[in-house]
């Protein structure tokens, strides 16, 4: 007939096709398993690497604290002139600034191998003692913070009720039986505040008032935040050699222009900031350099030997950061008695 004979498919052909499909699925599953295993290994390696860097960053931060303690221990004996045989010039300059109650800010120190730290070391007296503020001080601070004037007296009264020793109510104040405290389940301290952050517990003192943010007192307004201007130590006077402009302009009877003049005069004869001749030795030198002789202002400024320093260190290891903040007692062997740390 001229036609090719039909060949019936073999049963083995079907089996070979099924085996091929099973083999392909097996290879696919193995590839997925191997890919998942490789991914897990990469993640674990990255986590382990980050942990190692974090530990190195923590050690770098603690090295920064130790360095700050060493600087404070040496500031009493720093010579008036640089002696190359004793120390390198940069270390001498740092010690000279500290010996004149100055500050070291954003000091970068390399430890090698990608590790290092950034250090800020400031006299605690460069801030206002919140427990020593009078009403005029509070008015100036709340004004600078952006709080509406109609809220000032209420905030001050609530602060005074929190810190006084009795449960007598001021006109606009709040004692422990005030609904604000009853609803939150705690009482007023009836003693001076122990930390600046404690202010957030007081009626009216929002976190935005302390740390800045949208004003809870006026829609669309921003608060600057007052926490960086305050401390709980000292006699209420401001260490003028290290105070920021924000702190200085918060002193009643000290105009903005006066604060600018102080900051400029504090640069010393060379006119450069952060050098060994910064600051003023006493009130007479301060008045001669700034022209400010108002006794009310001078009484609010300190030129005494600073007893406490605030240190903030950022330890760095290949881009990973770890932060430590502490308050150091400067006398004798400097020791930390406030401490906060973490990777925030």
């Amino acid at each position: 007939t001229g036609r090719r004979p039909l060949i019936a498919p073999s049963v083995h052909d079907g089996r070979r096709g099924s085996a091929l499909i099973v083999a392909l699925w097996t290879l696919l599953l193995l590839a997925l398993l191997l890919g998942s295993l490789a991914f897990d290994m990469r993640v674990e390696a990255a986590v382990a690497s980050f942990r190692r860097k974090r530990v190195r960053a923590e050690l770098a931060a603690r090295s920064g604290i130790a360095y700050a303690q060493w600087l404070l221990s040496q500031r009493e004996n720093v010579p008036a002139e640089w002696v190359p045989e004793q120390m390198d010039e940069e270390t001498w300059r740092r010690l000279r600034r500290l010996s004149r109650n100055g500050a070291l800010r954003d000091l970068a120190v390399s430890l090698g191998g990608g590790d290092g730290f950034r250090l800020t070391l400031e006299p605690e007296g460069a801030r206002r003692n919140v427990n020593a503020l009078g009403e005029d001080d509070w008015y100036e601070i709340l004004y600078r913070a952006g709080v509406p004037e109609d809220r000032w007296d209420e905030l001050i009264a609530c602060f005074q009720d929190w810190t006084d020793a009795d449960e007598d109510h001021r006109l606009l104040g709040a004692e422990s039986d005030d609904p604000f405290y009853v609803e939150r389940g705690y009482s007023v301290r009836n003693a001076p505040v122990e930390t600046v952050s404690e202010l957030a517990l007081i009626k009216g003192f929002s976190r935005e008032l302390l740390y800045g943010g949208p004003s809870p007192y006026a829609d669309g307004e921003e608060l600057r935040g007052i926490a960086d201007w305050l401390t709980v130590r000292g006699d209420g006077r401001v260490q003028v050699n290290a105070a920021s402009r924000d702190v200085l302009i918060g002193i009643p009877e000290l105009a903005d222009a006066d604060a600018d003049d102080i900051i400029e005069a504090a640069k010393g004869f060379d006119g450069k900031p952060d050098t060994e001749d910064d600051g003023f030795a006493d009130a007479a030198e301060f008045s001669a350099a700034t022209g400010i002789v108002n006794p009310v202002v001078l009484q609010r400024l300190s030129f005494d030997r600073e007893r406490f320093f605030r240190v903030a260190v950022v330890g760095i290891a290949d881009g990973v950061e770890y932060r430590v903040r502490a308050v150091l007692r400067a006398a004798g062997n400097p020791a930390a008695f406030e401490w906060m740390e973490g990777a925030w």
Side-chain angles (χ1 to χ4, degrees), residues 82-277:
W82 175 45
V83 180
E85 294 77 13
Q86 293 184 0
M87 66 186 70
D88 64 272
E89 186 175 6
E90 185 56 38
T91 299
W92 173 76
R93 292 179 185 276
R94 294 168 185 171
L95 291 173
R96 282 288 295 170
R97 294 210 298 276
L98 292 176
S99 70
R100 293 172 66 85
N101 296 315
L104 302 175
R105 296 187 174 97
D106 293 325
L107 177 65
V109 177
S110 174
L111 300 176
D115 296 358
F117 59 82
R118 294 194 307 271
L119 168 72
T120 293
L121 184 61
E122 301 173 306
E124 189 75 349
R127 295 167 171 80
R128 311 292 305 279
N129 185 339
V130 65
N131 292 309
L133 296 176
E135 288 189 0
D136 288 345
D137 299 301
W138 272 117
Y139 288 150
E140 196 68 36
I141 288 173
L142 294 174
Y143 166 71
R144 300 289 178 180
V147 177
E149 186 175 353
D150 60 359
R151 300 298 303 270
W152 295 355
D153 289 331
E154 179 183 356
L155 287 168
I156 295 170
C158 288
F159 172 81
Q160 292 172 335
D161 275 347
W162 180 276
T163 56
D164 64 19
D166 56 52
E167 288 286 342
D168 296 334
H169 287 258
R170 287 175 170 78
L171 180 59
L172 298 175
E175 292 287 355
S176 298
D177 58 356
D178 188 274
F180 177 87
Y181 298 119
V182 173
E183 291 173 4
R184 288 161 176 77
Y186 60 88
S187 302
V188 303
R189 178 178 288 280
N190 286 335
V193 298
E194 294 185 348
T195 65
V196 172
S197 60
E198 184 183 323
L199 291 174
L201 299 176
I202 301 175
K203 181 180 179 180
F205 282 78
S206 64
R207 291 190 62 82
E208 291 80 8
L209 174 55
L210 260 66
Y211 305 111
S215 174
Y217 316 113
D219 292 339
E221 299 292 331
E222 290 282 325
L223 297 180
R224 293 195 59 196
I226 65 176
D228 285 342
W229 309 342
L230 303 175
T231 180
V232 294
R233 294 177 187 82
D235 57 10
R237 297 180 298 159
V238 174
Q239 179 53 254
V240 69
N241 287 347
S244 67
R245 186 179 188 275
D246 286 329
V247 172
L248 291 173
I249 62 178
I251 299 175
E253 299 195 36
L254 194 63
D256 290 15
D258 292 331
D260 293 333
D261 290 341
I262 291 171
I263 292 174
E264 187 63 29
K267 296 177 183 177
F269 293 110
D270 62 5
K272 299 177 181 179
D274 300 328
T275 56
E276 69 277 5
D277 68 339

